[in-house]
Amino acid sequence: MIQACGVGLEYADHGKSVCACAEIDLEVKPAEFLGVLGPSGSGKSSLLYLLSGLKRPTSGRVEYRGTSLSTMQDAERAALRWSKFGFVFQQPYLLGYLTAVENVTTGCPGTTMEEAMERLSILGLAEKAHRLPHELSGGERQRVCVARALAGSPEVVFADEPTANLDHTKGFEVVAALLQNRGEGALVLVTHDPAILKDANRTVTMNDGRLSCGMAPTRD
Amino acid sequence: MTRYPLAPVTFLTRNMTKIMPMVGVIVLATLLVAGIVAIMDSIPLSIRTTYGYSKNYLGVSPRGDNDLTPKLRRILEEESPVPIGDLMTCRASNFEVRSIVGPWQFVIIGLHDEDVKPYLDRMGGGKLVGRLPKAGLPEALVSAPLARNLGLGIGDQLLGPNTQDSYSALPVKVVGIVENPLWLALTSFEYLALYHLPPIDLLIAMSKDPARQAEMDSWTVARFEKERARVFTFAELEKQTDKMFEILYMILNVVIGLLVVVITVMMSLLMGIYVGQRMNEFGLLQALGFTRERLVRRSLAEALIVVGLGWASGVLVSFGFLSLIKAVLFEPNAFMLDPLAPRAYAYTLPIPVAIALAVSWNVVNRFRRFDPIAVIERRSA
């Protein structure tokens, strides 16, 4: 579904060229749970940005269903992200002036309040649907983010260290919520914690911007 | 009705404390400009109102030779293309009325007994409290606005020997007040002829059809150009007033221009802070898939709503403020102020326009350099 071929990303930092990712070949298959493991600064978040079209690669190409993301206009890539992809970031980013249910409607075009409410109910947040983000706990906010990412049943959900700011129990709850509710969608989850990826169909490891030769155990 | 959560109005209504300072600045700016212009405009408006009686007739005064009056009268009678209704001979003297910018000269007209009623009829009549002045006696009739301006009632002194600026050899008492919106002061021809200078007979000419007075005024001004006479018409008064205020308005334009620049810069800075505080929100939305153009449009819509709301509120507040000062300060003294003067509000238009342009530039410029990843990663850090 998503194919990365020889992908690299370099950027300038104080006049120096920094390589965030290099020569990455990777495929995201439909409905799979792909884990990306690596220490802090290994380039795994950059890889996620490249695969999701948030950044353009400086070398190689990323294709979505045979179409290169690099040749797409910004507006096309934005439309793709909004309609086909879902995102969960490390911080539970929510719009502070919108209620939980309203935040969920922003995840995908055409998401109604009823659909958003249903998503929250599935995640056990029905009673808190009309609360503002500051009235929710960190774990609850992250679950609202999960509900938002799953709005519109995306083809791929990209999760960037979604458990980093949560304790172990809550972290597992969030990952479980993603896994149980993603339907037919693929899940690409970036983390430094291997325990989170115990249910992954496949795990790749990154070090210094490159995929390690040895893949972590794969679960079918 | 459910509103789209990302509609600009949703943000604005749920963040009133954030937008109120900006709305407040625009309200104050609008109030300041509308207030200055309305109060400045009250001066020419006062001139036009105070001397508004001259819309109803024209005056002709001989220059240098009182014997010319019969000749001027004959010209009017024989040559005027506009049929003349009344042609009166009168005397005139000056006294002072109060205005927003200090004392103004006003005219008291001395009429023959038989001319008083036609004169008042031409002015629109009105209920008379008291009586008309008697020939040769130090008596005066004033209209209600004038009485209010000078705080006069029946029996009070209008002119007198004890005042330099409203002088008369004898104390001239008010014997009648006519309920008429125009400013009028009348006494008898005989009294002015006996006690006041200059000893010049003036002519008051009224067109038969009041609607043709302006036509008659124009003809008279042109016809008497080469005569030794001076013609007083409302059109001339307007022309002089406009000329008098030409430079003042030029200065006013500069002042308002500076004000608009200062307020625009201030608002632009405020809006910059406001948009800057929301870059995390825009970064998240852009990461989720909102296009830059859509976010720019939304930010512009929000900014324009704030500017429009500020200006509309400013206009309402200005109207309220001007109505209040009119009721409390102007009306009791018969000073003129028009809280609905279109010009006062027209002068405020550059404020929202300039702010909208500056803010649009600010928003577009910020988004041009905007990287959502940088925002997300900065927050993650």
Side-chain angles (χ1 to χ4, degrees):
Chain A
M1 184 166 50
I2 297 177
Q3 186 83 43
C5 303
V7 167
L9 178 68
E10 286 183 16
Y11 60 90
D13 186 21
H14 295 94
K16 285 183 183 171
S17 178
V18 178
C19 176
C21 293
E23 295 169 18
I24 289 174
D25 294 308
L26 186 66
E27 185 186 3
V28 179
K29 295 173 185 161
E32 76 166 334
F33 174 11
L34 172 65
V36 181
L37 193 63
S40 198
S42 61
K44 54 190 189 302
S45 290
S46 296
L47 175 62
L48 185 137
Y49 300 149
L50 291 169
L51 293 174
S52 62
L54 269 165
K55 275 194 184 289
R56 286 179 197 270
T58 48
S59 61
R61 67 180 192 283
V62 177
E63 289 179 355
Y64 168 75
R65 294 193 181 280
T67 307
S68 169
L69 297 185
S70 305
T71 57
M72 283 184 176
Q73 297 291 320
D74 284 350
E76 289 174 307
R77 285 191 297 135
L80 179 71
R81 287 203 301 276
W82 203 20
S83 58
K84 304 289 184 191
F85 300 164
F87 292 89
V88 183
F89 299 104
Q90 182 177 338
Q91 292 283 344
Y93 296 132
L94 293 170
L95 303 189
Y97 58 92
L98 296 185
T99 61
V101 67
E102 287 171 336
N103 265 289
V104 175
T105 63
T106 63
C108 179
T111 305
T112 62
M113 293 290 269
E114 289 73 25
E115 287 163 348
M117 194 67 200
E118 203 182 317
R119 286 276 169 206
L120 285 177
S121 299
I122 292 168
L123 292 166
L125 287 166
E127 284 180 7
K128 299 187 174 177
H130 298 291
R131 293 201 184 166
L132 292 170
H134 69 84
E135 296 167 326
L136 301 172
S137 69
E140 287 168 339
R141 282 203 293 271
Q142 195 62 303
R143 275 192 285 157
V144 175
C145 292
V146 169
R148 182 182 60 199
L150 296 171
S153 304
E155 292 188 5
V156 190
V157 174
F158 294 96
D160 185 7
E161 300 269 17
T163 62
N165 291 301
L166 301 174
D167 61 41
H168 243 70
T169 314
K170 284 193 179 126
F172 279 114
E173 278 174 17
V174 166
V175 175
L178 273 168
L179 285 172
Q180 286 161 19
N181 298 290
R182 69 192 163 114
E184 297 298 307
L187 172 63
V188 179
L189 197 152
V190 164
T191 183
H192 62 276
D193 181 2
I196 296 291
L197 301 175
K198 65 182 171 58
D199 292 324
N201 301 116
R202 210 154 47 101
T203 300
V204 295
T205 307
M206 284 201 73
N207 268 310
D208 295 331
R210 293 170 187 271
L211 284 182
S212 300
C213 296
M215 297 264 181
T218 299
R219 185 175 178 275
D220 291 321
Chain B
M1 194 185 78
T2 311
R3 187 187 290 144
Y4 176 54
L6 291 178
V9 175
T10 309
F11 177 84
L12 297 175
T13 50
R14 294 185 186 180
N15 291 277
M16 292 303 272
T17 52
K18 285 183 185 163
I19 67 157
M20 284 322 282
M22 289 181 289
V23 171
V25 169
I26 301 173
V27 167
L28 290 176
T30 306
L31 171 64
L32 192 63
V33 171
I36 290 173
V37 176
I39 290 169
M40 292 290 284
D41 269 358
S42 77
I43 304 169
L45 177 66
S46 295
I47 293 175
R48 287 182 174 91
T49 308
T50 307
Y51 304 107
Y53 62 86
S54 61
K55 268 185 198 166
N56 295 312
Y57 61 81
L58 66 89
V60 181
S61 159
R63 282 188 192 271
D65 184 355
N66 205 22
D67 293 340
L68 285 171
T69 304
K71 181 193 167 193
L72 300 172
R73 184 182 186 103
R74 211 165 37 250
I75 292 171
L76 281 169
E77 283 171 336
E78 291 171 4
E79 295 180 27
S80 171
V82 179
I84 295 175
D86 286 296
L87 191 53
M88 305 168 182
T89 304
C90 69
R91 288 289 175 101
S93 184
N94 291 325
F95 67 102
E96 277 187 349
V97 292
R98 293 185 304 130
S99 84
I100 188 174
V101 287
W104 271 352
Q105 290 287 304
F106 193 70
V107 66
I108 181 165
I109 293 170
L111 292 173
H112 291 293
D113 268 356
E114 65 274 19
D115 289 333
V116 174
K117 193 171 177 311
Y119 183 95
L120 287 175
D121 286 346
R122 179 68 165 205
M123 297 297 144
K127 188 185 160 202
L128 175 67
V129 178
R131 61 173 175 80
L132 299 178
K134 288 182 180 166
L137 293 181
E139 295 177 346
L141 170 87
V142 294
S143 62
L146 189 89
R148 202 161 70 245
N149 178 262
L150 294 175
L152 296 174
I154 303 285
D156 290 339
Q157 179 181 303
L158 176 66
L159 313 175
N162 51 352
T163 163
Q164 288 296 315
D165 300 315
S166 296
Y167 179 83
S168 187
L170 301 176
V172 177
K173 301 278 176 67
V174 175
V175 294
I177 296 175
V178 62
E179 290 294 339
N180 187 299
L182 296 175
W183 290 47
L184 304 169
L186 298 178
T187 185
S188 66
F189 181 97
E190 293 78 7
Y191 178 76
L192 287 187
L194 271 172
Y195 292 103
H196 281 256
L197 293 173
I200 298 171
D201 290 340
L202 309 169
L203 294 172
I204 286 175
M206 299 171 181
S207 62
K208 194 166 189 178
D209 176 4
R212 298 187 70 187
Q213 185 65 47
E215 190 187 336
M216 187 171 148
D217 290 357
S218 307
W219 175 82
T220 310
V221 168
R223 173 63 186 81
F224 283 33
E225 203 174 6
K226 286 176 186 166
E227 300 292 339
R228 287 171 59 189
R230 179 159 184 206
V231 181
F232 300 93
T233 66
F234 187 72
E236 288 293 304
L237 175 82
E238 290 223 292
K239 210 186 289 177
Q240 281 172 13
T241 306
D242 289 344
K243 201 172 173 186
M244 200 187 330
F245 287 93
E246 203 173 304
I247 291 174
L248 193 63
Y249 278 116
M250 214 184 288
I251 294 167
L252 185 67
N253 287 341
V254 172
V255 169
I256 288 173
L258 283 173
L259 202 65
V260 168
V261 169
V262 169
I263 290 161
T264 302
V265 170
M266 209 163 85
M267 272 305 294
S268 195
L269 290 174
L270 268 179
M271 277 284 192
I273 295 168
Y274 163 80
V275 174
Q277 284 172 342
R278 298 184 59 205
M279 292 321 271
N280 289 331
E281 174 191 340
F282 298 140
L284 170 66
L285 290 172
Q286 206 172 333
L288 291 180
F290 284 70
T291 59
R292 189 183 302 241
E293 290 70 27
R294 187 179 171 151
L295 293 173
V296 168
R297 274 203 307 275
R298 182 170 166 234
S299 300
L300 288 179
E302 284 176 12
L304 294 180
I305 289 172
V306 168
V307 172
L309 180 70
W311 181 74
S313 308
V315 167
L316 286 176
V317 170
S318 304
F319 174 71
F321 172 75
L322 291 171
S323 300
L324 180 73
I325 63 165
K326 182 183 177 182
V328 175
L329 294 174
F330 283 68
E331 280 285 355
N333 296 299
F335 296 158
M336 302 303 137
L337 183 73
D338 182 5
L340 278 173
R343 200 176 137 92
Y345 300 105
Y347 262 83
T348 67
L349 278 173
I351 297 172
V353 172
I355 293 173
L357 288 174
V359 168
S360 301
W361 179 84
N362 195 320
V363 168
V364 171
N365 196 40
R366 265 182 183 274
F367 273 98
R368 194 179 294 143
R369 296 176 280 126
F370 180 56
D371 177 10
I373 301 297
V375 171
I376 287 170
E377 289 187 335
R378 192 163 58 238
R379 270 185 61 164
S380 298

